[in-house]
Amino acid sequence: MRPGPVPDSRIGSHVRPKETSRKFPRTRPARRLLDHRARCRHNFRVSVRISIRKFLITITTHFQPEVELWRKAVNMACVYTGNTGERCQFQDGELAKYENNIVEQLGGQLRFDKAEYCAFHLPAWDRHGRPLSTAKLNAHTGPKREWSASSVELFVRCIHEIMRDGRSDRLANLKGVVLTEGYEFLPDCDDIFVDFTQSMFAPTTQIQNVKFGSGSRFSHAIFCPRVDFSGSIFGKNTDFSQCRFEEDIDFSGVLVGDDANFAEASFGRSFNSSKTEFGDRVIFRNSHFGLDANFSQSTFGIGAIFSSAQFGQFCEFDGATFGPLADFINSIIPDGTSFKNCTFGTNAKFSGTLKSIGATSFVRAVFLGDVRFADREFTGAVDFSNAEFNGIPDFHGAKPHQGMNFHEARFKCTRGADDDETYRAEQAYRTLKLAMANISAMNEQAEFFALEMDCRRQRGTATWSERFLATLYKYGSDYGRDLARPLIWFGFLFLFSSVFAAILVHKLGKADPGWALQFVTSQTVRPFSGLVSGKQLVDVPIDPRAAHPIIFGLFSLIYSLGVIGLTTLFILAIRRRFRMA
């Protein structure tokens, strides 16, 4: 009988006796059973490995494009990353052939500033590892500026070929490209549809007389000093948003299509955009203009948006022409900004809460419609001399400067299309009258008082008596501003009355016609004396009242009223002109 397990007091379990435990079975059937089990385990492992391998092959084959993109993203040579997270476009696809040709000629991988780049995104220069936005011309030169002439020629040829392939529905992808110094665009190409987002245009890049198609993009691009755009044409929807234009940029004579976007762009010193023609709805919102930005004699279509822009000290718009809408709301206009001889359309907006306007010149500017300077603080002597306002000037809430000048400015809007618009004009001139009174500008105050009265005279709600007296006041002395006008009217009244009296006396045949001059003189010195019987101031052969009492009495009454009225207007004009504040 086979012995049972023996208790072990150390572990509290049962173990077999030593004599029954064998390393190998003694009988042949037992050994066969062990071999069969081993073979089964081996076959199972092999089958599992084959199944896993087949599954991985199936997954890899099905997701081969994604796997390849992942591998390339992991092993990508170029460190360029776009503003929306896209990676270098020259590592694969149809653009990779251009990269391979340039790298093959250069003889290897491109590495600069401890980073790897493709030939198109390789910087032109850098200074001690600082970003390109702070690099300057005298900085440490990068490898692209050290290329041989043949390498630069190959690079330019590749850029030209890529741009030729651009279409309106598929822009040539040149995002982030750094152009070589002195690069010259293709002037012979009809339309260039290209995307230069985040690209860098090296100094002296020549973009003269180039025609870009609609939808071309230059957003976030950097234009280094001495880049020349003169004579170029940009189609509709061109995007220059958040660009940075460095010094000595020539943008003169350029034709920009509709809906161009320069929002949040930065313009450095000496940006020349004179004689440039901008299309409709051009946007310069939140842009920053340097010390010497020149837009003189430029033309803006329907809607020029400069809201919240900041202008430099010597920014010039001399002779520029703006369309129906010129929007400068909340823009910062410092001393030295010039709008001389500008023509503004039907709606010019310069209003802005707590935004200042320095010593700006609007000399001989023409405002064809309403202009708004509401809530502006004028910190300098703004000059509106010889300006022409054809609409309503809105200065509500503005803080004028003592040097504000309206010398010989012409305000032509005293009657609107309806009473509401006329009342708005009256309010606008009242605001200017009070503003001029606050800075003790008496002449300007009198001018705006006259304009306010003229608007009130033409309102439909004014009574006939008020309108009649205001009309006499207007044409008699220009609301007290014209000293010569009462004297001219008095001379005309005296001459007409003398001639009328001479004709009347001559027809009556009672006296010498020369007596008429003496009679008019007596009524001038002593009004209403012709209505009183008795002695006259002059010796006459007859009493004219006895000849025709009604006619001469009425004549004396009218003439005396005219003399008294004109004398009163003359005295009021003298008082208004020479009174102290």
Side-chain angles (χ1 to χ4, degrees), residues 383-401:
D383 191 358
F384 289 99
S385 59
N386 294 285
E388 180 179 322
F389 296 85
N390 292 277
I392 300 175
D394 184 0
F395 285 78
H396 297 310
K399 298 180 180 180
H401 188 268

Side-chain angles (χ1 to χ4, degrees), residues 41-57:
R41 286 195 296 267
H42 174 73
N43 293 335
F44 177 76
R45 293 191 188 101
V46 171
S47 62
V48 169
R49 289 174 184 173
I50 293 175
S51 299
I52 293 175
R53 185 176 300 175
K54 289 182 179 181
F55 175 77
L56 291 178
I57 291 175

Side-chain angles (χ1 to χ4, degrees), residues 54 94 189 265 306 321 343 564:
K54 289 182 179 181
E94 58 184 18
C189 189
F306 288 88
T321 302
T343 300
I564 293 175

Side-chain angles (χ1 to χ4, degrees), residues 345-346 367-371 387-394 409-430 432 447-459 474 479:
T346 55
F367 298 93
L368 299 178
D370 297 347
V371 55
E388 180 179 322
F389 296 85
N390 292 277
I392 300 175
D394 184 0
R410 300 178 299 278
F411 296 87
K412 297 186 176 182
C413 180
T414 57
R415 184 175 183 179
D418 51 24
D419 280 353
D420 292 337
E421 188 173 350
T422 304
Y423 182 67
R424 286 200 305 109
E426 180 183 346
Q427 286 182 317
Y429 295 129
R430 184 185 303 121
L432 284 171
E447 180 178 2
F448 292 119
F449 168 76
L451 292 167
E452 178 190 358
M453 293 296 296
D454 205 21
C455 291
R456 184 174 182 83
R457 181 181 64 88
Q458 300 182 78
R459 281 173 54 188
K474 171 181 173 62
Y479 298 104

Side-chain angles (χ1 to χ4, degrees), residues 29-45:
R31 289 198 298 270
R32 290 178 180 175
L33 180 60
L34 290 176
D35 292 340
H36 176 71
R37 290 178 179 177
R39 284 194 301 269
C40 289
R41 286 195 296 267
H42 174 73
N43 293 335
F44 177 76
R45 293 191 188 101

Side-chain angles (χ1 to χ4, degrees), residues 113 126-131:
D113 198 19
D126 198 356
R127 184 170 78 174
H128 306 299
R130 297 178 63 182

Side-chain angles (χ1 to χ4, degrees), residues 339-544:
F339 291 91
K340 295 180 181 178
N341 300 297
C342 281
T343 300
F344 295 90
T346 55
N347 194 0
K349 299 180 179 180
F350 288 86
S351 57
T353 304
L354 302 179
K355 298 296 183 179
S356 62
I357 295 181
T360 305
S361 176
F362 289 90
V363 175
R364 293 183 295 276
V366 178
F367 298 93
L368 299 178
D370 297 347
V371 55
R372 290 176 53 85
F373 287 92
D375 302 317
R376 279 287 192 174
E377 180 180 1
F378 296 91
T379 58
V382 179
D383 191 358
F384 289 99
S385 59
N386 294 285
E388 180 179 322
F389 296 85
N390 292 277
I392 300 175
D394 184 0
F395 285 78
H396 297 310
K399 298 180 180 180
H401 188 268
Q402 289 84 353
M404 183 176 289
N405 184 10
F406 287 98
H407 179 64
E408 295 187 1
R410 300 178 299 278
F411 296 87
K412 297 186 176 182
C413 180
T414 57
R415 184 175 183 179
D418 51 24
D419 280 353
D420 292 337
E421 188 173 350
T422 304
Y423 182 67
R424 286 200 305 109
E426 180 183 346
Q427 286 182 317
Y429 295 129
R430 184 185 303 121
T431 298
L432 284 171
K433 179 192 68 175
L434 296 175
M436 294 299 103
N438 291 333
I439 61 175
S440 299
M442 294 297 102
N443 292 331
E444 288 79 4
Q445 181 185 1
E447 180 178 2
F448 292 119
F449 168 76
L451 292 167
E452 178 190 358
M453 293 296 296
D454 205 21
C455 291
R456 184 174 182 83
R457 181 181 64 88
Q458 300 182 78
R459 281 173 54 188
T461 56
T463 62
W464 70 268
S465 57
E466 182 182 6
R467 188 174 303 171
F468 175 74
L469 294 176
T471 302
L472 292 180
Y473 195 19
K474 171 181 173 62
Y475 293 104
S477 65
D478 194 13
Y479 298 104
R481 295 190 302 158
D482 195 345
L483 288 172
R485 190 174 296 184
L487 298 178
I488 294 174
W489 278 110
F490 174 75
F492 175 77
L493 178 63
F494 183 85
L495 180 61
F496 175 79
S497 300
S498 300
V499 173
F500 177 78
I503 294 174
L504 183 61
V505 171
H506 177 71
K507 287 186 176 182
L508 294 175
K510 301 296 183 179
D512 184 7
W515 169 84
L517 181 61
Q518 298 176 359
F519 175 75
V520 173
T521 304
S522 69
Q523 301 303 305
T524 304
V525 177
R526 189 178 178 183
F528 306 109
S529 61
L531 297 176
V532 182
S533 61
K535 295 182 179 180
Q536 301 293 322
L537 293 179
V538 293
D539 188 15
V540 295
I542 67 167
D543 186 356

Side-chain angles (χ1 to χ4, degrees), residues 64-190:
Q64 183 67 25
E66 288 77 4
V67 174
E68 292 297 326
L69 289 177
W70 178 79
R71 285 180 181 175
K72 291 181 180 179
V74 173
N75 301 320
M76 183 152 312
C78 183
V79 297
Y80 166 78
T81 302
N83 54 357
T84 57
E86 68 272 15
R87 305 302 297 269
C88 176
Q89 68 270 31
F90 297 98
Q91 299 301 306
D92 54 5
E94 58 184 18
L95 298 180
K97 59 181 180 181
Y98 302 106
E99 166 69 9
N100 296 333
N101 293 337
I102 298 177
V103 172
E104 182 178 355
Q105 179 168 347
L106 292 175
Q109 196 174 21
L110 303 178
R111 187 174 181 84
F112 174 64
D113 198 19
K114 299 181 181 181
E116 297 176 355
Y117 295 89
C118 68
F120 295 90
H121 295 137
L122 183 68
W125 68 81
D126 198 356
R127 184 170 78 174
H128 306 299
R130 297 178 63 182
L132 294 175
S133 58
T134 59
K136 295 185 178 180
L137 288 176
N138 57 356
H140 174 69
T141 57
K144 185 170 287 188
R145 298 188 69 186
E146 299 173 358
W147 283 1
S148 63
S150 58
S151 299
V152 172
E153 182 180 358
L154 177 60
F155 175 79
V156 171
R157 189 165 62 249
C158 291
I159 293 290
H160 288 176
E161 292 180 3
I162 295 173
M163 284 195 297
R164 284 194 181 97
D165 293 337
R167 298 291 182 270
S168 59
D169 56 343
R170 185 178 59 87
L171 301 178
N173 190 357
L174 291 175
K175 294 181 179 179
V177 170
V178 180
L179 299 179
T180 55
E181 187 172 352
Y183 175 80
E184 182 176 358
F185 273 69
L186 287 172
D188 56 341
C189 189
D190 292 337

